[in-house]
Amino acid sequence: MRSPLILGIALAIAPSAASAQQSEVPLWLNLTTAQGLMGGSFSYRFTHRFQEQARSNSKDAFGLDGYSFSGLGVDIAVPSTPGTNFQIYRTPDDKTFTVALHQVLVSQPDIRAAIRIERYDETIKDQAFTPNVREGIVGTAVQLPLSWSGGGITLLAVPTYLSSTSTQRKGVTTAGFGVRWDMAERHSLIGEYYPRPSKVKDLKVSVDSTTTRDVENGWALGYVFRTKGHRFTLLATNVRGTTANQVLGGDYAGNGPNRSGEWGLGFNLVRIF
């Protein structure tokens, strides 16, 4: 865990190019957005999710003493095709590797739209402690992020099709939703909501050997600080993953999101060049 953290911080404090000021990585907290990098710029994204819940006492440093997953990715604007971004991302959460193509379709001050096609590949398979969960998933996510902005408020909807999830083999259609309040030029608050897909609404997951519960809806709340080439995000969330299939599938690892009172902390660190 220590090496990816050091690498992510080192990349984040490297010198920036002037073109980075006009670009945005298509990432809020967990959702992809309708924005993208421009002008041949590129970026590194570093994500960190603490898996221990932030309990109401400090003996475990509010979850910071627990296990965590650190992911690292690269976003590149294709110089010859305006609005086209190529993305590679890897997280040790089920050793998931994703490759994506993100194309901005509409880029107006108040309305934006894009299409994203992502291939996700988990390499961890058939773990003994999750016998009823299909692991080693390989699939495709097709997303159509749409956003509207006005008066410092941005609304985001991300209709999504996932070809495969932990319990669904015939594909899942769902959506994620978000709202951002730009309090000042460099400061924003973001909320995201990941409703339980209809295909898993009747799925029961184990709490212990005698108790089950319904799959929960997911959520995330975060604060973002922006500089010319940095995006620092601190967040709280009840979802454990960071990729489209982990966050929006509803049944990730056979359990889905934690119960709302069992949320954990995390952060994103983006460096744009």
Side-chain angles (χ1 to χ4, degrees):
M1 181 179 68
R2 185 176 300 173
S3 295
L5 177 61
I6 294 173
L7 178 58
I9 293 174
L11 292 172
I13 62 176
S16 66
S19 62
Q21 299 180 38
Q22 302 301 320
S23 294
E24 278 292 342
V25 173
L27 174 68
W28 272 7
L29 306 180
N30 290 309
L31 290 177
T32 189
T33 74
Q35 294 175 286
L37 295 173
M38 301 184 299
S41 56
F42 70 97
S43 74
Y44 294 100
R45 63 169 72 183
F46 179 70
T47 63
H48 196 82
R49 299 292 184 271
F50 295 96
Q51 302 300 295
E52 183 72 24
Q53 61 178 293
R55 303 178 191 276
S56 59
N57 58 70
S58 59
K59 68 180 181 180
D60 61 352
F62 301 99
L64 303 186
D65 286 345
Y67 188 70
S68 62
F69 289 119
S70 298
L72 186 63
V74 178
D75 297 65
I76 303 171
V78 180
S80 59
T81 310
T84 301
N85 287 197
F86 175 72
Q87 300 158 357
I88 301 174
Y89 177 74
R90 168 62 160 74
T91 171
D93 192 351
D94 271 357
K95 297 186 183 296
T96 305
F97 181 81
T98 66
V99 178
L101 195 64
H102 186 97
Q103 176 64 55
V104 176
L105 302 175
V106 178
S107 183
Q108 301 295 330
D110 55 345
I111 298 175
R112 298 177 185 270
I115 185 169
R116 176 186 174 93
I117 300 175
E118 175 179 300
R119 186 70 171 174
Y120 49 90
D121 185 353
E122 298 176 3
T123 61
I124 289 184
K125 305 178 188 297
D126 302 323
Q127 299 182 77
F129 55 84
T130 53
N132 298 320
V133 178
R134 188 167 62 101
E135 297 165 319
I137 299 169
V138 177
T140 301
V142 180
Q143 299 183 280
L144 186 65
L146 309 165
S147 67
W148 174 87
S149 300
I153 301 294
T154 299
L155 303 178
L156 174 69
V158 189
T160 300
Y161 171 78
L162 302 169
S163 68
S164 182
T165 72
S166 295
T167 63
Q168 305 299 314
R169 293 162 171 78
K170 295 184 179 180
V172 169
T173 300
T174 183
F177 302 93
V179 57
R180 185 182 73 193
W181 174 32
D182 294 325
M183 301 179 291
E185 181 180 0
R186 295 186 174 184
H187 306 272
S188 298
L189 293 178
I190 295 178
E192 293 182 351
Y193 178 64
Y194 324 114
R196 178 182 58 211
S198 59
K199 282 194 175 183
V200 300
K201 66 179 181 180
D202 298 322
L203 180 66
K204 299 292 183 179
V205 296
S206 295
V207 176
D208 52 43
S209 59
T210 61
T211 308
T212 62
R213 64 171 174 85
D214 294 329
V215 173
E216 297 280 335
N217 297 311
W219 59 268
L221 295 172
Y223 162 75
V224 183
F225 176 72
R226 296 184 298 275
T227 68
K228 288 183 178 180
H230 293 88
R231 307 293 183 267
F232 300 96
T233 303
L234 178 65
L235 61 97
T237 181
N238 72 331
V239 299
R240 294 169 293 161
T242 51
T243 66
N245 66 303
Q246 293 169 348
V247 173
L248 295 175
D251 59 352
Y252 184 58
N255 289 301
N258 295 330
R259 285 178 287 193
S260 292
E262 299 176 351
W263 52 271
L265 296 171
F267 63 85
N268 297 337
L269 191 57
V270 171
R271 184 68 173 103
I272 305 175
F273 297 85

